Amino acid sequence: MDRQVGTVTDNVGPSTWDRVCEEQVERLELERATLSSILDSMADGLVLADADGHLIYWNGRIAELLGTSLPLHVGMPAAEFKHLLSQHIADPEQGLNNLQCSSDELHRRPRLDLRIVGARPLTLQAMQFPIHGPQGEDWGCGLILRDVTEQRQVDQIRASLLAAVSHELRAPLSSIKGFASTLLRPDVSWDVDKQREFLTIIDEESDRLAGLVDELLDTSRLVLGGFKIEPEVLDLAPLLERIVAQARSQAPQHRFALEIAGEPRPVWAEPRRIQQVLHNLVDNAIKYSTPGGEITVRCRPQDDTLVISVTDQGEGIPQEEQSLVFEPFYRGQSPERAQKAGLGLGLTICRGYVEAHGGHIWVTSAPRQGSTFSFSLPVYQPRAARPPAEATGNVDA
Ligand code: ADP
């Protein structure tokens, strides 16, 4: 756009003069309208005050962000604007005292979060800036209000995840440190049995720590898409028998059953990954049900897949949570389940691994009636086209 103002000379006649003036006014009007549309289309709210601290401009976004239009007028003292704003803020004392009304006071250019109350609660970041003329003179100041609600929610989730991860890692670490320090006490000499007992705990807790770190690494590989499966022809029956035998010795107070139905058909899968899926599901069945309960592992053919399921008689999962349990770090609403150790990554990893094999995983459950976690795997088809040898998992973060 040509922003040059034309020069009017003395020898221009009155009608030419009028025409030039009209053109200039039109051009200025157009520029003003363009500028105003641009400022109104900004994602941020904008308020400008002159050097005396009186309002000279505000854009339409201010009203959208506050959910209502404020009775603003040109020349309104900025202190009055602050007062109007304070009626929409959860903690006006805390936030607004730091908002300055004139550029003289803007030496620190504070940024602060304002919590807006109303039908749609928002967190707005307020940013102030001075406005200078061409010679650096004080022309006033501006205030930008930016919607940072989502960003703050993400920050909060991140902080609570970090706290949860640190808490989970700290528990085994504290026990390792405690038992190692006890063994090293110079004033006590432990007999061989005690030494063995303490070393066994250190060994088990180190495994738990390594397991948690593995879960974090596996999840990050699944989320970033950087992991591959190496499938082979796999007969599931011996694997299921081994898993159930291990579970029996790990949780002798639970009862275990294994049911394999139909013709034995091999699947096209990576044994290590499928073993981990089964371990996670059986561990959860033990963890989220009371000792004495029965845990049944089943395997049955269905079309071109084998469906493997793990059923427990635990407290179950309400309908509304059933799709969420596969999401990273989801630990459920029930205080009983949240009390159990865990990061909320086991089922995310199971889903990533199963889907990388071309299968599906799902849960059927009812509160106080137990849960059944099932997953399908494609059966091995020697002549037909097989799934790609290097399928990759992909889990949404
Ligand atoms: P973690 O067990 O570490 O919390 P998971 O991803 O394995 O992580 O499980 C996520 C959540 O799903 C658990 O915190 C729990 O609330 C719920 N859950 C998983 N398995 C079961 C089960 N067999 N019975 C009841 N709730 C379960």
Side-chain angles (χ1 to χ4, degrees), residues 296-372:
T296 310
V297 179
R298 292 187 179 85
C299 178
R300 65 185 160 83
Q302 184 178 305
D303 304 325
D304 285 339
T305 66
L306 285 190
V307 175
I308 303 102
S309 61
V310 179
T311 301
D312 64 55
Q313 297 176 322
E315 60 166 294
I317 305 166
Q319 180 74 35
E320 64 277 12
E321 283 187 44
Q322 290 176 16
S323 58
L324 297 173
V325 292
F326 296 99
E327 295 305 318
F329 297 107
Y330 187 82
R331 302 232 49 228
Q333 300 292 334
S334 119
E336 288 82 23
R337 279 184 283 144
Q339 265 172 16
K340 307 272 164 72
L343 285 174
L345 295 177
L347 291 176
T348 309
I349 293 168
C350 290
R351 182 178 64 179
Y353 286 177
V354 168
E355 288 180 355
H357 284 82
H360 298 289
I361 186 165
W362 66 95
V363 59
T364 48
S365 181
R368 287 176 302 282
Q369 287 173 35
S371 311
T372 297

